[in-house]
Amino acid sequence: FNIAKSIKPDTKDSINTLIRIAEFQVSSDDREGSRKTLAYAEGILKKTSFDGRDALRAELAAALVLLDERVAAQAIVRSMADASRKSKTIASIARAYAQRGDLEASVSLFALAFHEAAPINDKNKKYDTITHLIREQSKVGRLADAFKNAGRFDGRCLRIGVDGLLQSQGHHVEDQT
């Protein structure tokens, strides 16, 4: 954590590194260290503005769930005004619940994330949102749900679901986006 703090703090990579460090701290039962790391990352995110910031906030919310800081994670979701960003954040939180073993909450939150994505009218934004949701489901083995949800939209999303399944089984998949 101290080494990560010494890196230029306002880049996507440095903030992503901090979030990953916090996740490792949680998995090694260093909850206090994880809280400090996430608070530091959140402080940077509040002061900066760059492309990809909201994706990092979604990852931060998911890390907060792993730390059992649900109220703080919910506050991040509520602060997202855009339906696409909100949907992506909910999906990241759903993935974190699945990682914690709470599949009931995970399934409900994934359903909510898809519900939030439904009214998005911009095709590119909707594709980006659904792609994120499918990837999050695939990361935690919710492959049947990912296939089902991908099929609701278009062939590009279905391809993402197929690629996620193949990758989860150890197959190499070329990026075709």
Side-chain angles (χ1 to χ4, degrees), residues 3-15:
I3 293 170
K5 279 176 55 176
S6 68
I7 300 170
K8 185 177 178 189
D10 58 351
T11 65
K12 284 190 247 183
D13 290 337
S14 64
I15 296 168

Side-chain angles (χ1 to χ4, degrees), residues 139-170:
K139 285 178 186 178
V140 292
R142 304 294 307 167
L143 302 174
D145 292 341
F147 273 114
K148 180 181 81 177
N149 290 315
R152 290 183 188 172
F153 294 94
D154 65 23
R156 290 188 300 176
C157 288
L158 183 56
R159 177 63 195 206
I160 298 295
V162 171
D163 289 353
L165 173 61
L166 293 173
Q167 287 173 340
S168 73
Q169 294 176 346

Side-chain angles (χ1 to χ4, degrees), residues 14-28:
S14 64
I15 296 168
N16 189 44
T17 299
L18 289 167
I19 293 169
R20 298 299 155 242
I21 288 170
E23 289 172 347
F24 285 118
Q25 288 172 312
V26 168
S27 65
S28 64

Side-chain angles (χ1 to χ4, degrees), residues 101-175:
D102 189 346
L103 293 180
E104 188 175 325
S106 175
V107 169
S108 296
L109 287 168
F110 276 126
L112 177 60
F114 275 96
H115 177 75
E116 289 286 330
I120 299 171
N121 293 322
D122 181 290
K123 284 187 178 191
N124 289 329
K125 193 178 249 190
K126 190 169 206 161
Y127 169 75
D128 181 53
T129 303
I130 298 304
T131 299
H132 177 81
L133 303 181
I134 292 168
R135 284 192 177 125
E136 292 291 72
Q137 286 180 311
S138 297
K139 285 178 186 178
V140 292
R142 304 294 307 167
L143 302 174
D145 292 341
F147 273 114
K148 180 181 81 177
N149 290 315
R152 290 183 188 172
F153 294 94
D154 65 23
R156 290 188 300 176
C157 288
L158 183 56
R159 177 63 195 206
I160 298 295
V162 171
D163 289 353
L165 173 61
L166 293 173
Q167 287 173 340
S168 73
Q169 294 176 346
H171 300 285
H172 173 73
V173 176
E174 303 254 339
D175 185 17

